[in-house]
Amino acid sequence: MVSDSPFLLAGVSLLSALQMGYLARRVGWARMAHKVLPPSVSGPPEFERTFRAHQNCVEFYPLFLVTMWTCGMFFGEVTAAVGGLVYMIARHIYFNGYVKSSKKRLPGFYLTLAVFALLSLLAFIGVLRGILHKYFHIHL
Amino acid sequence: MVSDSPFLLAGVSLLSALQMGYLARRVGWARMAHKVLPPSVSGPPEFERTFRAHQNCVEFYPLFLVTMWTCGMFFGEVTAAVGGLVYMIARHIYFNGYVKSSKKRLPGFYLTLAVFALLSLLAFIGVLRGILHKYFHIHL
Amino acid sequence: MVSDSPFLLAGVSLLSALQMGYLARRVGWARMAHKVLPPSVSGPPEFERTFRAHQNCVEFYPLFLVTMWTCGMFFGEVTAAVGGLVYMIARHIYFNGYVKSSKKRLPGFYLTLAVFALLSLLAFIGVLRGILHKYFHIHL
């Protein structure tokens, strides 16, 4: 371990993994509250919304890790870590909104997309600058 | 950021994350076209095929990242990055085929498996060589 | 590639990716055995348990990679790699148990949670130590 390691990215990644574990737990609690026994995933609307809210978080989690780490390694670590924290807040709003109604999932979802757009853009700038430097000796 | 960083792997990872976001969007469009409101995931056959095509991409995406990065770090970066691009093409063929019919998912799927087999094999060679070198002082 | 690279983490990651591929294959075999044609995911109870067992592994796989790698990079590589192997065994027990009955998924699942708790805790210690060192010049 070198002292220059990306501790902030690692820390936010760990926190986000904990959040994902917590959201999985919420699905387990919804199973109990609505008496939906595994392996069934059908039940009252509130259970199905909780289940889909978690699935959507699962679907996007690897995309989040890729964009945050690429942005953090090749553009700026603090920017990416802050973006990661905002993503976690967006997912929290999304999940809690979706549990209440399908429509209330939207504000959190749009914030999620905004974070993705920003992290991806900055990551692309960083990677492109790196490729131009390494392979074409163009220094921006 | 050092100039020797794996920019190609990072670039392909970012592109693949964008592709995954695009495929998620396609499911959203299929929801609209077939009037399948969240959180429901049941509907006409074409919607269900689109939904499952995306789910399959989600299931395999972390495996793809692991094999591409391991191959890229411990065998060869250009090989892994090219493999990653071929994987993306395979997933594109798979998804579009599956939307049309269950049977048409197969060519893209077999190409996906072929890329996995190759990336995994090369990655194992690289990791094994590294372990023999680092822990057993055997230089291949 | 430097000889000090985390070959053990890479090796366990590759093995776990292969395991995930194998579990996906088991779902495919269960489709054939119970005549559940894609894109359908409904069928006899044993098929649905097999399907959900795989889904649960998919949901947790990125969390596993994050905690194992963070623990491995910032606490100790051998500890994390051994934890990763135990996680793979736990998932094997979980999957095979779940295929038999919903109740039999529990022992493997609890072992999974125990590995997560340990890897996360050690990873947090490592990351916190790193942050204190790098940003606050506190050396523990």
Side-chain angles (χ1 to χ4, degrees):
Chain A
M1 189 178 75
V2 277
S3 69
D4 197 32
S5 301
F7 297 113
L8 298 180
L9 298 178
V12 174
S13 299
L14 263 178
L15 288 174
S16 70
L18 276 193
Q19 185 189 33
M20 290 297 293
Y22 165 72
L23 296 182
R25 198 74 216 90
R26 295 264 308 256
V27 177
W29 290 332
R31 279 190 180 283
M32 283 185 264
H34 300 285
K35 307 202 190 319
V36 181
L37 295 179
S40 175
V41 295
S42 315
E46 188 179 320
F47 170 76
E48 297 202 352
R49 287 198 305 274
T50 309
F51 180 78
R52 275 307 305 160
H54 176 241
Q55 288 297 309
N56 189 282
C57 294
V58 167
E59 290 162 13
F60 280 89
Y61 189 53
L63 280 68
F64 161 65
L65 291 174
V66 165
T67 47
M68 183 181 73
W69 275 88
T70 326
C71 179
M73 296 307 286
F74 305 123
F75 185 86
E77 192 186 352
V78 175
T79 310
V82 171
L85 291 174
V86 176
Y87 180 85
M88 284 177 62
I89 294 166
R91 278 294 161 181
H92 185 81
I93 297 169
Y94 167 84
F95 192 95
N96 285 326
Y98 207 164
V99 169
K100 281 182 200 126
S101 83
S102 290
K103 205 174 175 187
K104 286 188 180 154
R105 81 188 191 287
L106 292 175
F109 193 66
Y110 292 143
L111 183 54
T112 298
L113 292 185
V115 177
F116 267 125
L118 187 64
L119 286 179
S120 304
L121 180 68
L122 300 180
F124 262 111
I125 292 171
V127 168
L128 197 65
R129 200 172 49 189
I131 288 176
L132 288 175
H133 180 104
K134 184 174 174 182
Y135 296 99
F136 300 94
H137 307 289
I138 298 167
H139 308 261
L140 298 180
Chain B
M1 188 177 77
V2 278
S3 68
D4 196 34
S5 301
F7 298 111
L8 297 181
L9 297 178
V12 175
S13 300
L14 263 178
L15 288 175
S16 70
L18 277 193
Q19 184 189 33
M20 289 298 292
Y22 166 71
L23 296 182
R25 200 72 218 89
R26 296 263 309 253
V27 177
W29 290 332
R31 279 189 180 285
M32 283 185 267
H34 300 284
K35 306 199 191 322
V36 180
L37 295 178
S40 175
V41 295
S42 316
E46 187 179 322
F47 170 76
E48 297 203 350
R49 287 198 305 275
T50 308
F51 180 78
R52 275 306 305 161
H54 176 241
Q55 288 297 309
N56 189 281
C57 294
V58 167
E59 291 162 12
F60 279 90
Y61 189 53
L63 280 68
F64 162 64
L65 291 173
V66 164
T67 46
M68 183 181 72
W69 276 87
T70 325
C71 178
M73 296 307 285
F74 305 124
F75 185 85
E77 192 185 353
V78 175
T79 310
V82 171
L85 292 174
V86 176
Y87 180 85
M88 285 176 63
I89 294 166
R91 278 293 161 183
H92 186 81
I93 297 169
Y94 167 83
F95 192 95
N96 285 327
Y98 206 165
V99 169
K100 282 182 203 127
S101 82
S102 290
K103 205 174 176 186
K104 285 188 181 155
R105 80 187 192 286
L106 292 176
F109 193 66
Y110 293 142
L111 183 54
T112 299
L113 293 185
V115 177
F116 267 126
L118 186 63
L119 287 178
S120 304
L121 180 69
L122 300 180
F124 262 111
I125 292 171
V127 169
L128 196 65
R129 200 172 49 188
I131 288 177
L132 289 175
H133 180 104
K134 183 174 174 182
Y135 296 99
F136 300 94
H137 307 289
I138 298 168
H139 309 260
L140 296 181
Chain C
M1 188 178 78
V2 277
S3 69
D4 197 35
S5 301
F7 298 112
L8 298 181
L9 298 178
V12 175
S13 300
L14 263 178
L15 287 174
S16 70
L18 276 194
Q19 184 189 32
M20 290 297 292
Y22 166 70
L23 297 182
R25 199 73 217 88
R26 295 264 309 253
V27 177
W29 290 332
R31 278 190 181 285
M32 283 187 265
H34 300 284
K35 307 201 191 319
V36 180
L37 294 178
S40 175
V41 295
S42 315
E46 188 179 320
F47 171 76
E48 298 202 351
R49 288 199 305 276
T50 307
F51 180 78
R52 275 306 306 159
H54 176 240
Q55 288 297 308
N56 189 281
C57 294
V58 167
E59 291 163 13
F60 280 90
Y61 189 53
L63 280 68
F64 161 65
L65 291 174
V66 165
T67 47
M68 183 181 73
W69 276 87
T70 325
C71 178
M73 296 308 284
F74 304 124
F75 186 86
E77 192 186 352
V78 174
T79 310
V82 170
L85 291 175
V86 176
Y87 180 85
M88 285 176 62
I89 294 167
R91 278 294 162 182
H92 186 81
I93 296 170
Y94 168 83
F95 192 96
N96 285 327
Y98 207 164
V99 169
K100 282 183 201 122
S101 83
S102 290
K103 206 174 174 187
K104 285 189 180 154
R105 82 187 191 286
L106 293 175
F109 192 67
Y110 292 142
L111 184 53
T112 297
L113 292 184
V115 177
F116 266 126
L118 186 63
L119 287 178
S120 304
L121 181 69
L122 299 181
F124 262 112
I125 292 171
V127 170
L128 196 66
R129 200 172 47 187
I131 288 176
L132 289 175
H133 180 105
K134 183 173 174 184
Y135 296 99
F136 300 94
H137 307 289
I138 297 167
H139 308 262
L140 297 179

